[in-house]
Structure formats: C-alpha cells, structure tokens
C-alpha cells in the first residue's frame, strides 16, 4: 500500500519542519506528501511502528501488515521523514486510551508547536464508546478495539500470549455490527471460542459492516442475533454469566436515517455467555482538551477544522478520523492528502 500520493518529488518545502502526530493512514499520507515536497517531517506515535490501526487492529487476513510496512518503508527511506515511536503526544491533562501499552515517553504538544513550522494532528479514534449498562465492568467484558489491539500485537510479536484475553473454549457475545464487530467475531473464532454470537439492534440489512460481511461470518459458524438490545450484563463471582437482552422492532428513521430500534415491553430474555466484546464504536482521541493552545474540539472530541483542515490555531492542522470520526481507510487517506496540500500551501507563504 502506497502512502506517497499526488506528489512530484521536489524541494519547494526545503528548510521547513513539520510534525505529524499519529501514523495511521491520514498521517502517513500527509507525511509522504510533505516529505516528497522537500519538508523535514517528524512523525510521532505511541505505537512501536508506523501504521496505526492498519497494523495494530485489522486482522492480517483482511489487511496483510507487510503491505503497510512496504508503504511505510518507501516514506521513511525515500524522503526526510523520521518516525518517533512509543512517544505519546499529550496536552495539559493526559488521558489513557486503548493502545497505550507501548508508551516509553511523553511529548508535550505545546513544545511541538513551538519547534515546528506546522503541526498535523492525526491521532485517530483510540477510545471505545461505553455500553452504558449495568455489568460492563465485570471480568471478561472487553472493548473490541482493546481486544483486537492485543490479539494483533501478540501476532506481531509485541505482546506475549499471557497478555491476550483468553477466550479459548468460551462463549462470546459481540455487541455491534460494524467492521470492528466483524473483526472481533472473526478473531474470537481464531482464538478457539466455543461459540460466537453477534448481537445487533437492527436487522442484517442495516448492519454498518454490510450484509455480505455478516453472511461470511454466518458461514463460518457465527450466530447472528438481530433486533435485540442489551439491558445488562449478568455476572457470577465477578465474571460474566449472561447478557440480558430485550427484543426490538423497527420504528421511524432516526438521525442516522436508519429505522430506530423500539424495545418490546416484556420481551426480555437471557443469553448465557462467558465473554462480552463491546463493539458499538470508537471516539476521536485528540491529544488535548478543548481550548488548549487555542485548538477547539467538538462535543464528541473531534478536532474542529475548516474545509481545508485548518484548526482554530494558526499553523496547526488536523486530518483523518480525529476530525471525521471513524471512517474507512480510503477516505482517511484522501483527507490526509487534502490537508497535506493545505499545509504545503501554508508553508510556502510563511
């Protein structure tokens, strides 16, 4: 996979220093474009190698990590782009997010802003949404991103098997129907779960991952349970015993344009499981709180930018999922390239 896109190698940005915070698809494409244009680029990331969720969350059978590593190699070896791994960029108040296991140093964003001609924030979505129901703090309740991160990190040799959730021989319920739910269910099968359910509040036709992805899992033995909403996770001895579900029917469209699930009174039932994986989505994880360094955030944590990727702080830009919320690889790369061009124009005028 190539991350140097839309650039004719040149020296128009020679002498300009750019910091890219985050090495996912948006950050890598931006680093590739700016490095190709002659800038000196430092890429900061909390992970031990570039790639973000491409390397550390997506199962290898869906995206071979060697494809990512090949593209990263081109960026780092062809241009003056430097990767600074295991370094988390933080603001005044640090917040723990998923994927923080490998951090060895912390870098203050204010210092980065002072040292570089331009800064790009591309830190993605490393925080899972909470279910907001009783029992989600029981043992053997995992967040999909954390589960996928640990399984993949083990596969890459960064974690030991003892550091990965042990679900062998256990009954697993995955809540949600996006791509992270699909990935969590498929990895649970590979980790020898005895039974895997996907629980979704709408029907297979509304599944964010797409009906075809769900049907592939069904063919592999995953049980699809639709039109249900979890009420609570039930425990015994501090660990998961079952999920209490309530059946739903579809009502009028909600703000997403999809039919709203309406609980059916008195339809509660229990599904006995040993493990629950929360896969209802992720939230943007900017390195700062709203207003720090004059950078404004939206209520869900997204970095607020104009149409060209400029934040409310001059010289600081943002791209990718930290701006848009969770998206697919292609749109994140496209946005990273668009904002990189904005940065190049800005540097040419300063």
């Amino acid at each position: 996979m190539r991350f140097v896109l839309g650039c004719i190698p040149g020296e128009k940005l020679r002498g300009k220093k750019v910091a890219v915070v985050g090495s996912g698809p948006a950050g890598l494409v931006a680093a590739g474009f700016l490095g190709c244009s002659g800038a000196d680029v430092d890429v900061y990331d909390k992970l031990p190698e570039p790639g973000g969720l491409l390397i550390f969350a997506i199962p290898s059978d869906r995206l071979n990590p060697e494809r990512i590593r090949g593209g990263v190699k081109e960026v780092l070896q062809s241009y003056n782009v430097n990767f600074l791994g295991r370094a988390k960029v933080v603001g005044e108040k640090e917040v723990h997010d998923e994927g923080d296991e490998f951090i060895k140093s912390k870098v203050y964003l204010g210092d980065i802003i002072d040292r570089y001609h331009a800064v790009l924030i591309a830190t993605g979505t490393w925080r899972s949404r909470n279910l907001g129901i009783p029992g989600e703090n029981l043992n053997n309740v995992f967040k999909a991103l954390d589960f996928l991160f640990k399984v993949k990190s083990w596969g890459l040799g960064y974690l030991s098997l003892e550091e990965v959730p042990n679900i062998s021989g256990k009954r697993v319920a995955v809540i949600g129907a996006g791509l992270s739910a699909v990935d969590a269910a498929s990895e649970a099968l590979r980790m020898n779960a005895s039974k895997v359910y996907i629980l979704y509040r709408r029907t297979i036709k509304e599944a964010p991952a797409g009906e075809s992805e769900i049907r592939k899992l069904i063919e592999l033995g995953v049980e699809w349970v639709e039109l249900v909403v979890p009420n609570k996770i039930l425990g015994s001895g501090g660990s998961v015993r079952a999920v209490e579900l309530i059946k739903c029917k579809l009502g009028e469209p909600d703000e997403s344009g999809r039919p709203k699930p309406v609980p059916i009174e008195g339809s509660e039932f229990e599904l006995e499981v040993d493990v629950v994986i929360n896969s209802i989505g992720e939230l943007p994880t900017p390195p700062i709180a709203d207003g720090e360094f004059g950078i404004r955030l939206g209520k869900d944590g997204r970095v607020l930018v104009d149409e060209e990727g400029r934040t409310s702080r001059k010289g600081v830009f943002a791209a990718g999922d930290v701006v848009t919320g969770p998206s697919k690889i292609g749109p994140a790369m496209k946005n990273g390239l668009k904002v990189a061009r904005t940065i190049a124009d800005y540097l040419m005028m300063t």
Side-chain angles (χ1 to χ4, degrees):
M1 181 180 291
R2 295 200 68 204
F3 298 108
V4 181
L5 304 172
C7 173
I8 299 174
E11 298 293 321
K12 66 180 182 180
L13 299 182
R14 184 178 179 85
K16 301 296 185 180
K17 295 181 63 178
V18 181
V20 174
V21 184
S23 68
L28 285 174
V29 168
F33 180 87
L34 294 166
C36 173
S37 301
D40 296 329
V41 183
D42 287 338
V43 180
Y44 293 84
D45 201 294
K46 63 184 182 179
L47 299 172
E49 66 173 290
L53 294 175
L54 301 180
I55 286 280
F56 285 91
I58 299 176
S60 297
D61 65 338
R62 189 152 74 81
L63 182 59
N64 188 329
E66 294 309 315
R67 289 184 58 205
I68 309 305
R69 286 168 168 162
V72 168
K73 183 177 180 180
E74 178 189 13
V75 172
L76 297 182
Q77 293 189 357
S78 300
Y79 308 106
N80 197 15
V81 178
N82 182 39
F83 177 70
L84 302 167
R86 300 180 186 263
K88 184 173 183 176
V89 175
V90 299
E92 296 288 349
K93 183 179 179 181
E94 182 192 356
V95 177
H96 176 78
D97 297 310
E98 284 129 290
D100 281 359
E101 281 82 349
F102 301 125
I103 296 170
K104 288 190 174 179
S105 64
K106 296 170 186 175
V107 185
Y108 187 53
L109 181 62
D111 293 337
I112 289 177
I113 292 173
D114 290 341
R115 285 163 37 205
Y116 293 86
H117 295 103
V119 177
L120 174 66
I121 298 172
T123 45
T125 52
W126 281 93
R127 187 175 306 135
S128 296
R129 295 180 182 273
N130 291 322
L131 291 167
I133 60 174
E136 69 176 316
N137 293 321
L138 287 167
N139 294 328
N140 289 337
V141 177
F142 304 108
K143 294 176 178 177
L145 180 55
D146 189 52
F147 172 72
L148 291 168
F149 172 78
K150 287 179 177 175
V151 171
K152 191 69 181 292
S153 296
W154 165 63
L156 294 170
Y158 289 110
L159 292 179
S160 67
L161 184 58
E162 289 71 28
E163 296 173 280
V164 178
N166 179 14
I167 61 172
S168 178
K170 296 177 181 176
R171 300 162 296 179
V172 178
V174 178
I175 300 173
L179 285 175
S180 61
V182 168
D183 290 344
S186 63
E187 292 288 36
L189 287 176
R190 291 190 193 91
M191 300 293 285
N192 298 315
S194 63
K195 182 70 178 179
V196 179
Y197 302 91
I198 291 186
L199 313 178
Y200 185 50
R201 57 184 179 164
R202 296 185 175 92
T203 74
I204 195 170
K205 296 186 181 301
E206 289 84 33
E211 184 174 348
S212 62
E213 291 288 342
I214 302 299
R215 294 208 178 277
K216 289 177 187 175
L217 288 177
I218 293 172
E219 291 175 3
L220 293 173
V222 171
E223 185 167 336
W224 170 258
V225 184
E226 62 183 31
L227 293 173
V228 293
V229 170
N231 265 349
K232 63 181 74 171
I233 301 171
L234 305 172
S236 176
S239 296
V240 174
R241 176 182 66 79
V243 181
E244 181 183 286
L245 302 167
I246 185 167
K247 295 180 181 179
C248 299
K249 60 183 178 181
L250 296 182
E252 296 299 315
D254 61 14
E255 62 277 2
S256 72
R258 296 174 294 171
K260 182 178 180 178
V262 180
I264 300 171
E265 187 176 352
S267 66
E268 294 89 348
F269 68 100
E270 292 183 12
L271 178 67
E272 292 188 355
V273 295
D274 309 297
V275 174
V276 173
I277 299 178
N278 163 15
S279 186
I280 62 171
E282 292 78 42
L283 294 167
T285 46
I288 53 164
D290 181 32
E292 281 190 71
F293 313 112
I295 301 169
R296 299 309 309 270
L297 308 180
K299 62 181 181 180
D300 61 353
R302 300 183 194 203
V303 180
L304 298 179
V305 298
D306 65 11
E307 291 183 356
E308 303 302 320
R310 304 178 188 92
T311 72
S312 49
R313 169 71 182 253
K314 184 178 179 180
V316 179
F317 305 80
D321 289 4
V322 76
V323 171
T324 65
S327 67
K328 294 185 178 180
I329 298 169
M333 294 175 70
K334 183 177 180 180
N335 186 242
L337 179 59
K338 176 182 178 179
V339 179
R341 287 179 167 140
T342 301
I343 294 172
D345 291 342
Y346 167 79
L347 293 173
M348 292 286 287
M349 295 186 293
T350 57

